[in-house]
Amino acid sequence: MNTPAPTAARPRRLWPWVLGGCLVLVLLAVAALVALGWFGMKMVGETTRQAVAEVPLVQEHFGRVEDVGMDFGGIVEAGQAGQQAMVFRLRGEKGEGRLVITTDPASGEFRSATLTLPNGEVHELDQRTLEQLKALQGGGLPPG
């Protein structure tokens, strides 16, 4: 009988599997962070949409507000101008515009809010609307 000679088992290389597993975990963590950031931005936009949807100036010039999102370009522009501001892009049935809320750098309190209409006009929002935005920012109910 001819029996084949036993061959030495090749050592398995574990490091490619460990490296691949780590890469998959990192990709999953990045995807989770991106999803969480996107969800948070949508929540801020929805809260802002609810706050400005009842403003008569917004109803008149935008119609029903369909979407509100952060305008990162506007935030950068405000920073370059020496202001600390949150800038939102508003889109309604009648057009698009911007809501700029300037804040106090030290406390983060809202100072003022301006609304740029689809025709380019800029209007300062009244104190009542600013108070509504402040209440919603803090997670409270807007004053009635």
Side-chain angles (χ1 to χ4, degrees):
M1 272 208 293
N2 230 354
T3 59
T7 57
R10 274 184 37 188
R12 288 189 176 205
R13 294 200 173 156
L14 189 59
W15 69 267
W17 291 99
V18 171
L19 186 61
C22 288
L23 181 64
V24 167
L25 288 175
V26 167
L27 290 175
L28 286 173
V30 167
L33 287 174
V34 167
L36 188 62
W38 178 84
F39 180 73
M41 297 310 278
K42 288 306 249 181
M43 291 288 291
V44 168
E46 180 60 24
T47 301
T48 305
R49 187 191 68 73
Q50 291 172 357
V52 299
E54 300 301 319
V55 175
L57 189 64
V58 172
Q59 290 176 348
E60 179 184 343
H61 292 281
F62 289 89
R64 185 177 58 82
V65 178
E66 298 168 350
D67 185 41
V68 176
M70 295 293 286
D71 183 350
F72 294 106
I75 293 171
V76 170
E77 288 174 17
Q80 291 172 343
Q83 292 181 326
Q84 183 170 340
M86 296 187 308
V87 183
F88 298 93
R89 176 195 37 78
L90 283 82
R91 185 170 44 92
E93 295 170 324
K94 298 179 181 179
E96 293 187 11
R98 263 187 179 179
L99 172 65
V100 179
I101 303 170
T102 57
T103 59
D104 182 82
S107 66
E109 287 282 323
F110 289 178
R111 285 185 177 168
S112 65
T114 56
L115 183 65
T116 304
L117 303 177
N119 63 7
E121 292 179 36
V122 179
H123 292 272
E124 187 82 21
L125 295 181
D126 61 4
Q127 191 61 33
R128 181 176 178 270
T129 304
L130 193 59
E131 291 300 322
Q132 286 180 322
L133 293 171
K134 284 181 189 179
L136 288 169
Q137 178 202 30
L141 297 173

mmCIF file of all heavy atoms in Angstrom, residues 60-109:
data_model
loop_
_atom_site.group_PDB
_atom_site.id
_atom_site.type_symbol
_atom_site.label_atom_id
_atom_site.label_comp_id
_atom_site.label_asym_id
_atom_site.label_seq_id
_atom_site.Cartn_x
_atom_site.Cartn_y
_atom_site.Cartn_z
ATOM 1 N N GLU A 60 -47.438 84.875 3.523
ATOM 2 C CA GLU A 60 -47.737 85.749 2.386
ATOM 3 C C GLU A 60 -46.768 85.551 1.230
ATOM 4 O O GLU A 60 -47.176 85.486 0.078
ATOM 5 C CB GLU A 60 -47.691 87.205 2.853
ATOM 6 C CG GLU A 60 -47.952 88.215 1.763
ATOM 7 C CD GLU A 60 -47.803 89.648 2.256
ATOM 8 O OE1 GLU A 60 -47.816 89.879 3.482
ATOM 9 O OE2 GLU A 60 -47.685 90.538 1.401
ATOM 10 N N HIS A 61 -45.472 85.450 1.534
ATOM 11 C CA HIS A 61 -44.469 85.421 0.470
ATOM 12 C C HIS A 61 -43.974 84.031 0.081
ATOM 13 O O HIS A 61 -43.406 83.868 -0.995
ATOM 14 C CB HIS A 61 -43.275 86.295 0.865
ATOM 15 C CG HIS A 61 -43.606 87.744 0.905
ATOM 16 N ND1 HIS A 61 -43.695 88.527 -0.217
ATOM 17 C CD2 HIS A 61 -43.910 88.561 1.949
ATOM 18 C CE1 HIS A 61 -44.013 89.760 0.120
ATOM 19 N NE2 HIS A 61 -44.149 89.808 1.436
ATOM 20 N N PHE A 62 -44.173 83.046 0.942
ATOM 21 C CA PHE A 62 -43.705 81.691 0.639
ATOM 22 C C PHE A 62 -44.853 80.721 0.418
ATOM 23 O O PHE A 62 -44.648 79.643 -0.110
ATOM 24 C CB PHE A 62 -42.817 81.153 1.777
ATOM 25 C CG PHE A 62 -41.486 81.817 1.874
ATOM 26 C CD1 PHE A 62 -41.320 82.955 2.650
ATOM 27 C CD2 PHE A 62 -40.392 81.324 1.193
ATOM 28 C CE1 PHE A 62 -40.100 83.579 2.744
ATOM 29 C CE2 PHE A 62 -39.161 81.939 1.282
ATOM 30 C CZ PHE A 62 -39.007 83.077 2.057
ATOM 31 N N GLY A 63 -46.040 81.060 0.877
ATOM 32 C CA GLY A 63 -47.143 80.105 0.844
ATOM 33 C C GLY A 63 -46.892 79.048 1.899
ATOM 34 O O GLY A 63 -46.325 79.304 2.951
ATOM 35 N N ARG A 64 -47.320 77.836 1.617
ATOM 36 C CA ARG A 64 -47.072 76.734 2.550
ATOM 37 C C ARG A 64 -45.584 76.397 2.505
ATOM 38 O O ARG A 64 -45.026 76.138 1.443
ATOM 39 C CB ARG A 64 -47.898 75.504 2.158
ATOM 40 C CG ARG A 64 -47.781 74.353 3.153
ATOM 41 C CD ARG A 64 -48.674 73.185 2.771
ATOM 42 N NE ARG A 64 -48.404 72.666 1.454
ATOM 43 C CZ ARG A 64 -47.417 71.804 1.156
ATOM 44 N NH1 ARG A 64 -46.623 71.371 2.100
ATOM 45 N NH2 ARG A 64 -47.250 71.375 -0.068
ATOM 46 N N VAL A 65 -44.942 76.405 3.662
ATOM 47 C CA VAL A 65 -43.509 76.100 3.737
ATOM 48 C C VAL A 65 -43.333 74.599 3.578
ATOM 49 O O VAL A 65 -43.859 73.813 4.352
ATOM 50 C CB VAL A 65 -42.903 76.588 5.069
ATOM 51 C CG1 VAL A 65 -41.435 76.215 5.150
ATOM 52 C CG2 VAL A 65 -43.074 78.092 5.214
ATOM 53 N N GLU A 66 -42.597 74.202 2.547
ATOM 54 C CA GLU A 66 -42.406 72.788 2.245
ATOM 55 C C GLU A 66 -41.163 72.205 2.900
ATOM 56 O O GLU A 66 -41.155 71.055 3.310
ATOM 57 C CB GLU A 66 -42.330 72.599 0.721
ATOM 58 C CG GLU A 66 -43.601 73.006 0.014
ATOM 59 C CD GLU A 66 -43.436 73.100 -1.483
ATOM 60 O OE1 GLU A 66 -42.294 73.032 -1.986
ATOM 61 O OE2 GLU A 66 -44.466 73.251 -2.163
ATOM 62 N N ASP A 67 -40.105 73.012 2.980
ATOM 63 C CA ASP A 67 -38.849 72.486 3.502
ATOM 64 C C ASP A 67 -38.022 73.614 4.104
ATOM 65 O O ASP A 67 -38.006 74.722 3.588
ATOM 66 C CB ASP A 67 -38.053 71.808 2.376
ATOM 67 C CG ASP A 67 -36.792 71.127 2.872
ATOM 68 O OD1 ASP A 67 -36.838 70.489 3.939
ATOM 69 O OD2 ASP A 67 -35.753 71.236 2.195
ATOM 70 N N VAL A 68 -37.349 73.293 5.201
ATOM 71 C CA VAL A 68 -36.393 74.202 5.820
ATOM 72 C C VAL A 68 -35.148 73.387 6.122
ATOM 73 O O VAL A 68 -35.229 72.330 6.738
ATOM 74 C CB VAL A 68 -36.947 74.821 7.129
ATOM 75 C CG1 VAL A 68 -35.890 75.676 7.807
ATOM 76 C CG2 VAL A 68 -38.195 75.637 6.852
ATOM 77 N N GLY A 69 -34.008 73.856 5.666
ATOM 78 C CA GLY A 69 -32.757 73.142 5.920
ATOM 79 C C GLY A 69 -31.648 74.117 6.261
ATOM 80 O O GLY A 69 -31.723 75.311 5.968
ATOM 81 N N MET A 70 -30.615 73.609 6.901
ATOM 82 C CA MET A 70 -29.460 74.440 7.250
ATOM 83 C C MET A 70 -28.756 74.887 5.968
ATOM 84 O O MET A 70 -28.612 74.119 5.028
ATOM 85 C CB MET A 70 -28.476 73.658 8.110
ATOM 86 C CG MET A 70 -29.003 73.267 9.478
ATOM 87 S SD MET A 70 -29.303 74.643 10.571
ATOM 88 C CE MET A 70 -27.652 75.097 11.018
ATOM 89 N N ASP A 71 -28.329 76.134 5.957
ATOM 90 C CA ASP A 71 -27.576 76.700 4.841
ATOM 91 C C ASP A 71 -26.137 76.897 5.320
ATOM 92 O O ASP A 71 -25.795 77.922 5.908
ATOM 93 C CB ASP A 71 -28.205 78.024 4.414
ATOM 94 C CG ASP A 71 -27.528 78.641 3.200
ATOM 95 O OD1 ASP A 71 -26.456 78.154 2.778
ATOM 96 O OD2 ASP A 71 -28.067 79.624 2.676
ATOM 97 N N PHE A 72 -25.312 75.883 5.098
ATOM 98 C CA PHE A 72 -23.939 75.914 5.607
ATOM 99 C C PHE A 72 -23.104 77.001 4.936
ATOM 100 O O PHE A 72 -22.231 77.596 5.561
ATOM 101 C CB PHE A 72 -23.286 74.544 5.470
ATOM 102 C CG PHE A 72 -23.925 73.514 6.350
ATOM 103 C CD1 PHE A 72 -24.742 72.530 5.810
ATOM 104 C CD2 PHE A 72 -23.746 73.538 7.729
ATOM 105 C CE1 PHE A 72 -25.349 71.590 6.625
ATOM 106 C CE2 PHE A 72 -24.358 72.618 8.544
ATOM 107 C CZ PHE A 72 -25.156 71.634 7.990
ATOM 108 N N GLY A 73 -23.380 77.295 3.673
ATOM 109 C CA GLY A 73 -22.692 78.389 2.997
ATOM 110 C C GLY A 73 -23.003 79.724 3.656
ATOM 111 O O GLY A 73 -22.129 80.572 3.826
ATOM 112 N N GLY A 74 -24.259 79.907 4.033
ATOM 113 C CA GLY A 74 -24.668 81.134 4.727
ATOM 114 C C GLY A 74 -24.040 81.253 6.095
ATOM 115 O O GLY A 74 -23.698 82.352 6.538
ATOM 116 N N ILE A 75 -23.875 80.126 6.783
ATOM 117 C CA ILE A 75 -23.234 80.139 8.099
ATOM 118 C C ILE A 75 -21.772 80.557 7.963
ATOM 119 O O ILE A 75 -21.269 81.358 8.753
ATOM 120 C CB ILE A 75 -23.369 78.761 8.780
ATOM 121 C CG1 ILE A 75 -24.840 78.495 9.118
ATOM 122 C CG2 ILE A 75 -22.495 78.683 10.034
ATOM 123 C CD1 ILE A 75 -25.125 77.089 9.595
ATOM 124 N N VAL A 76 -21.109 80.041 6.935
ATOM 125 C CA VAL A 76 -19.703 80.410 6.696
ATOM 126 C C VAL A 76 -19.608 81.892 6.348
ATOM 127 O O VAL A 76 -18.734 82.608 6.859
ATOM 128 C CB VAL A 76 -19.101 79.525 5.582
ATOM 129 C CG1 VAL A 76 -17.745 80.051 5.143
ATOM 130 C CG2 VAL A 76 -18.991 78.083 6.051
ATOM 131 N N GLU A 77 -20.529 82.376 5.494
ATOM 132 C CA GLU A 77 -20.530 83.798 5.127
ATOM 133 C C GLU A 77 -20.722 84.682 6.355
ATOM 134 O O GLU A 77 -20.055 85.707 6.502
ATOM 135 C CB GLU A 77 -21.647 84.091 4.132
ATOM 136 C CG GLU A 77 -21.403 83.551 2.749
ATOM 137 C CD GLU A 77 -22.620 83.748 1.843
ATOM 138 O OE1 GLU A 77 -23.508 84.565 2.183
ATOM 139 O OE2 GLU A 77 -22.676 83.074 0.812
ATOM 140 N N ALA A 78 -21.641 84.310 7.224
ATOM 141 C CA ALA A 78 -21.884 85.089 8.444
ATOM 142 C C ALA A 78 -20.638 85.096 9.327
ATOM 143 O O ALA A 78 -20.276 86.126 9.897
ATOM 144 C CB ALA A 78 -23.075 84.528 9.209
ATOM 145 N N GLY A 79 -19.987 83.953 9.448
ATOM 146 C CA GLY A 79 -18.761 83.873 10.237
ATOM 147 C C GLY A 79 -17.661 84.755 9.678
ATOM 148 O O GLY A 79 -16.929 85.400 10.430
ATOM 149 N N GLN A 80 -17.546 84.797 8.352
ATOM 150 C CA GLN A 80 -16.538 85.653 7.730
ATOM 151 C C GLN A 80 -16.857 87.123 7.933
ATOM 152 O O GLN A 80 -15.962 87.960 7.940
ATOM 153 C CB GLN A 80 -16.420 85.331 6.238
ATOM 154 C CG GLN A 80 -15.803 83.976 5.984
ATOM 155 C CD GLN A 80 -15.870 83.566 4.515
ATOM 156 O OE1 GLN A 80 -16.618 84.119 3.733
ATOM 157 N NE2 GLN A 80 -15.074 82.568 4.156
ATOM 158 N N ALA A 81 -18.150 87.444 8.109
ATOM 159 C CA ALA A 81 -18.550 88.832 8.359
ATOM 160 C C ALA A 81 -18.468 89.182 9.842
ATOM 161 O O ALA A 81 -18.838 90.282 10.242
ATOM 162 C CB ALA A 81 -19.976 89.056 7.850
ATOM 163 N N GLY A 82 -18.012 88.241 10.671
ATOM 164 C CA GLY A 82 -17.848 88.498 12.096
ATOM 165 C C GLY A 82 -19.099 88.266 12.920
ATOM 166 O O GLY A 82 -19.168 88.693 14.059
ATOM 167 N N GLN A 83 -20.094 87.596 12.353
ATOM 168 C CA GLN A 83 -21.330 87.315 13.075
ATOM 169 C C GLN A 83 -21.390 85.839 13.435
ATOM 170 O O GLN A 83 -20.861 84.993 12.724
ATOM 171 C CB GLN A 83 -22.561 87.607 12.217
ATOM 172 C CG GLN A 83 -22.791 89.045 11.897
ATOM 173 C CD GLN A 83 -24.049 89.196 11.053
ATOM 174 O OE1 GLN A 83 -24.366 88.341 10.241
ATOM 175 N NE2 GLN A 83 -24.759 90.287 11.258
ATOM 176 N N GLN A 84 -22.062 85.546 14.531
ATOM 177 C CA GLN A 84 -22.383 84.166 14.855
ATOM 178 C C GLN A 84 -23.864 84.015 14.522
ATOM 179 O O GLN A 84 -24.703 84.696 15.107
ATOM 180 C CB GLN A 84 -22.131 83.851 16.318
ATOM 181 C CG GLN A 84 -22.387 82.397 16.637
ATOM 182 C CD GLN A 84 -21.904 82.036 18.027
ATOM 183 O OE1 GLN A 84 -21.081 82.713 18.615
ATOM 184 N NE2 GLN A 84 -22.448 80.966 18.548
ATOM 185 N N ALA A 85 -24.169 83.147 13.563
ATOM 186 C CA ALA A 85 -25.551 83.047 13.101
ATOM 187 C C ALA A 85 -25.882 81.628 12.676
ATOM 188 O O ALA A 85 -25.007 80.853 12.289
ATOM 189 C CB ALA A 85 -25.783 83.996 11.933
ATOM 190 N N MET A 86 -27.169 81.328 12.783
ATOM 191 C CA MET A 86 -27.712 80.104 12.195
ATOM 192 C C MET A 86 -28.467 80.554 10.947
ATOM 193 O O MET A 86 -29.266 81.496 11.011
ATOM 194 C CB MET A 86 -28.661 79.404 13.161
ATOM 195 C CG MET A 86 -27.971 78.914 14.412
ATOM 196 S SD MET A 86 -29.015 77.900 15.487
ATOM 197 C CE MET A 86 -30.456 78.905 15.712
ATOM 198 N N VAL A 87 -28.204 79.907 9.835
ATOM 199 C CA VAL A 87 -28.826 80.310 8.577
ATOM 200 C C VAL A 87 -29.606 79.115 8.032
ATOM 201 O O VAL A 87 -29.073 78.012 7.927
ATOM 202 C CB VAL A 87 -27.776 80.786 7.551
ATOM 203 C CG1 VAL A 87 -28.441 81.266 6.278
ATOM 204 C CG2 VAL A 87 -26.906 81.879 8.147
ATOM 205 N N PHE A 88 -30.863 79.358 7.716
ATOM 206 C CA PHE A 88 -31.740 78.317 7.188
ATOM 207 C C PHE A 88 -32.209 78.715 5.794
ATOM 208 O O PHE A 88 -32.463 79.886 5.525
ATOM 209 C CB PHE A 88 -32.967 78.124 8.091
ATOM 210 C CG PHE A 88 -32.628 77.677 9.470
ATOM 211 C CD1 PHE A 88 -32.454 78.593 10.491
ATOM 212 C CD2 PHE A 88 -32.484 76.330 9.758
ATOM 213 C CE1 PHE A 88 -32.151 78.181 11.771
ATOM 214 C CE2 PHE A 88 -32.165 75.912 11.040
ATOM 215 C CZ PHE A 88 -32.004 76.838 12.043
ATOM 216 N N ARG A 89 -32.336 77.732 4.927
ATOM 217 C CA ARG A 89 -32.894 77.922 3.598
ATOM 218 C C ARG A 89 -34.350 77.498 3.670
ATOM 219 O O ARG A 89 -34.658 76.388 4.077
ATOM 220 C CB ARG A 89 -32.126 77.067 2.585
ATOM 221 C CG ARG A 89 -32.659 77.098 1.182
ATOM 222 C CD ARG A 89 -32.087 75.966 0.334
ATOM 223 N NE ARG A 89 -31.911 74.705 1.042
ATOM 224 C CZ ARG A 89 -32.891 73.844 1.317
ATOM 225 N NH1 ARG A 89 -34.126 74.102 0.988
ATOM 226 N NH2 ARG A 89 -32.631 72.711 1.945
ATOM 227 N N LEU A 90 -35.267 78.384 3.302
ATOM 228 C CA LEU A 90 -36.695 78.090 3.307
ATOM 229 C C LEU A 90 -37.167 77.875 1.880
ATOM 230 O O LEU A 90 -36.797 78.628 0.985
ATOM 231 C CB LEU A 90 -37.505 79.264 3.888
ATOM 232 C CG LEU A 90 -37.511 79.442 5.392
ATOM 233 C CD1 LEU A 90 -36.284 80.172 5.840
ATOM 234 C CD2 LEU A 90 -38.743 80.183 5.793
ATOM 235 N N ARG A 91 -37.987 76.859 1.690
ATOM 236 C CA ARG A 91 -38.578 76.614 0.372
ATOM 237 C C ARG A 91 -40.071 76.458 0.560
ATOM 238 O O ARG A 91 -40.520 75.629 1.345
ATOM 239 C CB ARG A 91 -37.987 75.375 -0.282
ATOM 240 C CG ARG A 91 -38.480 75.147 -1.701
ATOM 241 C CD ARG A 91 -37.697 74.064 -2.418
ATOM 242 N NE ARG A 91 -37.447 72.894 -1.600
ATOM 243 C CZ ARG A 91 -38.242 71.822 -1.548
ATOM 244 N NH1 ARG A 91 -39.346 71.774 -2.239
ATOM 245 N NH2 ARG A 91 -37.920 70.795 -0.783
ATOM 246 N N GLY A 92 -40.835 77.286 -0.145
ATOM 247 C CA GLY A 92 -42.284 77.223 -0.071
ATOM 248 C C GLY A 92 -42.895 77.130 -1.456
ATOM 249 O O GLY A 92 -42.187 77.066 -2.464
ATOM 250 N N GLU A 93 -44.200 77.162 -1.494
ATOM 251 C CA GLU A 93 -44.913 77.055 -2.773
ATOM 252 C C GLU A 93 -44.579 78.208 -3.714
ATOM 253 O O GLU A 93 -44.577 78.038 -4.927
ATOM 254 C CB GLU A 93 -46.424 77.063 -2.521
ATOM 255 C CG GLU A 93 -46.925 75.873 -1.749
ATOM 256 C CD GLU A 93 -48.369 76.030 -1.322
ATOM 257 O OE1 GLU A 93 -48.791 77.156 -0.995
ATOM 258 O OE2 GLU A 93 -49.074 75.011 -1.318
ATOM 259 N N LYS A 94 -44.290 79.382 -3.158
ATOM 260 C CA LYS A 94 -44.075 80.580 -3.979
ATOM 261 C C LYS A 94 -42.614 80.921 -4.210
ATOM 262 O O LYS A 94 -42.314 81.891 -4.898
ATOM 263 C CB LYS A 94 -44.770 81.773 -3.332
ATOM 264 C CG LYS A 94 -46.270 81.616 -3.215
ATOM 265 C CD LYS A 94 -46.873 82.825 -2.543
ATOM 266 C CE LYS A 94 -48.368 82.687 -2.377
ATOM 267 N NZ LYS A 94 -48.938 83.869 -1.687
ATOM 268 N N GLY A 95 -41.699 80.183 -3.613
ATOM 269 C CA GLY A 95 -40.296 80.482 -3.838
ATOM 270 C C GLY A 95 -39.414 80.097 -2.670
ATOM 271 O O GLY A 95 -39.845 79.446 -1.724
ATOM 272 N N GLU A 96 -38.141 80.511 -2.785
ATOM 273 C CA GLU A 96 -37.143 80.194 -1.767
ATOM 274 C C GLU A 96 -36.592 81.461 -1.146
ATOM 275 O O GLU A 96 -36.585 82.519 -1.764
ATOM 276 C CB GLU A 96 -35.986 79.399 -2.390
ATOM 277 C CG GLU A 96 -36.374 78.029 -2.847
ATOM 278 C CD GLU A 96 -35.180 77.203 -3.309
ATOM 279 O OE1 GLU A 96 -34.021 77.619 -3.077
ATOM 280 O OE2 GLU A 96 -35.413 76.135 -3.877
ATOM 281 N N GLY A 97 -36.105 81.333 0.077
ATOM 282 C CA GLY A 97 -35.495 82.457 0.774
ATOM 283 C C GLY A 97 -34.611 81.964 1.902
ATOM 284 O O GLY A 97 -34.301 80.769 1.988
ATOM 285 N N ARG A 98 -34.218 82.887 2.761
ATOM 286 C CA ARG A 98 -33.313 82.572 3.868
ATOM 287 C C ARG A 98 -33.837 83.146 5.166
ATOM 288 O O ARG A 98 -34.391 84.234 5.200
ATOM 289 C CB ARG A 98 -31.960 83.228 3.627
ATOM 290 C CG ARG A 98 -30.925 82.388 3.027
ATOM 291 C CD ARG A 98 -29.628 83.188 3.039
ATOM 292 N NE ARG A 98 -28.564 82.400 2.467
ATOM 293 C CZ ARG A 98 -27.343 82.823 2.327
ATOM 294 N NH1 ARG A 98 -27.026 84.041 2.700
ATOM 295 N NH2 ARG A 98 -26.427 82.059 1.821
ATOM 296 N N LEU A 99 -33.593 82.412 6.233
ATOM 297 C CA LEU A 99 -33.843 82.894 7.581
ATOM 298 C C LEU A 99 -32.497 82.918 8.281
ATOM 299 O O LEU A 99 -31.817 81.894 8.364
ATOM 300 C CB LEU A 99 -34.808 81.974 8.330
ATOM 301 C CG LEU A 99 -34.998 82.254 9.817
ATOM 302 C CD1 LEU A 99 -35.659 83.615 10.017
ATOM 303 C CD2 LEU A 99 -35.824 81.160 10.466
ATOM 304 N N VAL A 100 -32.105 84.102 8.756
ATOM 305 C CA VAL A 100 -30.823 84.261 9.441
ATOM 306 C C VAL A 100 -31.123 84.650 10.882
ATOM 307 O O VAL A 100 -31.757 85.672 11.135
ATOM 308 C CB VAL A 100 -29.942 85.336 8.771
ATOM 309 C CG1 VAL A 100 -28.629 85.498 9.520
ATOM 310 C CG2 VAL A 100 -29.691 84.994 7.313
ATOM 311 N N ILE A 101 -30.670 83.819 11.814
ATOM 312 C CA ILE A 101 -30.854 84.088 13.235
ATOM 313 C C ILE A 101 -29.476 84.363 13.822
ATOM 314 O O ILE A 101 -28.639 83.466 13.882
ATOM 315 C CB ILE A 101 -31.508 82.896 13.951
ATOM 316 C CG1 ILE A 101 -32.848 82.555 13.305
ATOM 317 C CG2 ILE A 101 -31.675 83.183 15.439
ATOM 318 C CD1 ILE A 101 -33.453 81.258 13.796
ATOM 319 N N THR A 102 -29.245 85.595 14.240
ATOM 320 C CA THR A 102 -27.958 85.927 14.852
ATOM 321 C C THR A 102 -28.040 85.627 16.341
ATOM 322 O O THR A 102 -29.077 85.817 16.971
ATOM 323 C CB THR A 102 -27.587 87.410 14.629
ATOM 324 O OG1 THR A 102 -28.611 88.238 15.138
ATOM 325 C CG2 THR A 102 -27.367 87.708 13.160
ATOM 326 N N THR A 103 -26.942 85.131 16.867
ATOM 327 C CA THR A 103 -26.891 84.740 18.272
ATOM 328 C C THR A 103 -25.746 85.455 18.975
ATOM 329 O O THR A 103 -24.788 85.895 18.347
ATOM 330 C CB THR A 103 -26.690 83.214 18.416
ATOM 331 O OG1 THR A 103 -25.475 82.841 17.759
ATOM 332 C CG2 THR A 103 -27.851 82.437 17.813
ATOM 333 N N ASP A 104 -25.868 85.541 20.281
ATOM 334 C CA ASP A 104 -24.817 86.124 21.109
ATOM 335 C C ASP A 104 -23.693 85.099 21.230
ATOM 336 O O ASP A 104 -23.949 83.955 21.610
ATOM 337 C CB ASP A 104 -25.380 86.471 22.485
ATOM 338 C CG ASP A 104 -24.336 87.114 23.367
ATOM 339 O OD1 ASP A 104 -24.121 88.327 23.221
ATOM 340 O OD2 ASP A 104 -23.750 86.389 24.199
ATOM 341 N N PRO A 105 -22.457 85.465 20.906
ATOM 342 C CA PRO A 105 -21.362 84.497 20.971
ATOM 343 C C PRO A 105 -21.120 83.922 22.362
ATOM 344 O O PRO A 105 -20.751 82.766 22.502
ATOM 345 C CB PRO A 105 -20.138 85.286 20.502
ATOM 346 C CG PRO A 105 -20.661 86.474 19.796
ATOM 347 C CD PRO A 105 -22.014 86.760 20.389
ATOM 348 N N ALA A 106 -21.340 84.708 23.389
ATOM 349 C CA ALA A 106 -21.052 84.248 24.752
ATOM 350 C C ALA A 106 -22.143 83.325 25.288
ATOM 351 O O ALA A 106 -21.854 82.265 25.836
ATOM 352 C CB ALA A 106 -20.882 85.444 25.678
ATOM 353 N N SER A 107 -23.396 83.724 25.129
ATOM 354 C CA SER A 107 -24.485 82.956 25.751
ATOM 355 C C SER A 107 -25.236 82.052 24.781
ATOM 356 O O SER A 107 -25.934 81.140 25.200
ATOM 357 C CB SER A 107 -25.484 83.916 26.401
ATOM 358 O OG SER A 107 -26.135 84.688 25.404
ATOM 359 N N GLY A 108 -25.147 82.319 23.486
ATOM 360 C CA GLY A 108 -25.904 81.542 22.512
ATOM 361 C C GLY A 108 -27.347 82.003 22.375
ATOM 362 O O GLY A 108 -28.112 81.428 21.613
ATOM 363 N N GLU A 109 -27.727 83.058 23.102
ATOM 364 C CA GLU A 109 -29.090 83.600 23.030
ATOM 365 C C GLU A 109 -29.342 84.215 21.654
ATOM 366 O O GLU A 109 -28.450 84.802 21.052
ATOM 367 C CB GLU A 109 -29.286 84.681 24.093
ATOM 368 C CG GLU A 109 -29.389 84.167 25.491
ATOM 369 C CD GLU A 109 -30.753 83.579 25.793
ATOM 370 O OE1 GLU A 109 -31.757 84.121 25.307
ATOM 371 O OE2 GLU A 109 -30.789 82.576 26.516
#
